[in-house]
Amino acid sequence: MSTFVVPELSTTDFTSDFDELVRGYIQTEYSLADPDKAAANTLKIKVGFFDYKLPYEIAVLETDTETPQYPNGRRRAYTNTGMEIHIRMKRLARSETEISPQLGYMEREIQRIAMQYRSQDIAGIKDMVWVGGTRVYNATDSYATSDWRSMIRVRLLYEKIDIS
């Protein structure tokens, strides 16, 4: 029987879900003033799906975990878990002549946060890799007339070692 632990934590597993760890990391590293994370009635960074109550939201969802790689005779497991970071902003009224740039600001801020990740900024996570993103345009979405959305994908890389 093997006992795998996260070496940096000295525990058999992470104590929080990855989506909560990433949410906390984004909350800490987010540095934009427009929209400002300190404005509780404007921006919300959360785990799960949007609630559409604020003009700006960032929602973090865990997606898939890839099969680990086992070098060194199956004593170390290197694996990664995918995360989707969804961004939305309330769309301007159709009468507005200028496009508000906040969605682009928020996209680039999430990319910056992922690309400037330093090993162990989140305990046990060796790296956060930005793997792309997309704007979300869906004509069948009932919110398409009022919201603009984007999704950024990252992968969390981590290790577990066999101590048995």
Side-chain angles (χ1 to χ4, degrees):
M1 173 109 176
S2 298
T3 303
F4 282 89
V5 300
V6 179
E8 296 83 5
L9 302 177
S10 299
T11 59
T12 56
D13 215 338
F14 291 89
T15 56
S16 296
D17 290 336
F18 289 129
D19 43 13
E20 181 57 37
L21 294 171
V22 171
R23 186 214 56 82
Y25 185 68
I26 291 170
Q27 183 75 34
T28 301
E29 297 294 317
Y30 188 91
S31 64
L32 288 181
D34 183 20
D36 186 358
K37 71 178 178 184
N41 60 344
T42 303
L43 172 67
K44 183 175 187 178
I45 302 171
K46 61 179 287 199
V47 169
F49 297 100
F50 301 132
D51 58 22
Y52 299 96
K53 294 181 180 171
L54 297 177
Y56 303 98
E57 290 182 274
I58 297 173
V60 181
L61 296 168
E62 183 177 334
T63 59
D64 63 315
T65 298
E66 290 187 356
T67 305
Q69 302 299 314
Y70 292 100
N72 301 332
R74 301 186 62 85
R75 306 265 312 156
R76 289 183 185 271
Y78 293 98
T79 193
N80 63 78
T81 296
M83 305 297 298
E84 289 181 351
I85 302 163
H86 294 263
I87 304 164
R88 69 162 283 280
M89 66 174 268
K90 189 172 182 176
R91 185 176 169 186
L92 297 173
R94 292 179 189 265
S95 61
E96 294 289 334
T97 57
E98 293 191 22
I99 301 297
S100 185
Q102 284 87 356
L103 183 63
Y105 292 165
M106 293 165 63
E107 285 174 330
R108 289 183 292 277
E109 180 68 358
I110 298 301
Q111 290 170 7
R112 179 196 68 78
I113 290 169
M115 294 172 84
Q116 291 182 352
Y117 183 84
R118 295 162 306 276
S119 185
Q120 304 302 321
D121 272 355
I122 300 172
I125 303 296
K126 294 192 179 305
D127 202 0
M128 178 186 295
V129 179
W130 173 60
V131 293
T134 186
R135 288 282 173 104
V136 178
Y137 302 114
N138 187 351
T140 61
D141 187 341
S142 63
Y143 289 101
T145 58
S146 62
D147 286 340
W148 288 354
R149 289 185 275 162
S150 182
M151 190 251 310
I152 304 293
R153 289 181 304 278
V154 299
R155 295 208 71 81
L156 304 179
L157 305 162
Y158 53 96
E159 170 189 21
K160 292 186 178 184
I161 59 171
D162 184 359
I163 62 166
S164 54

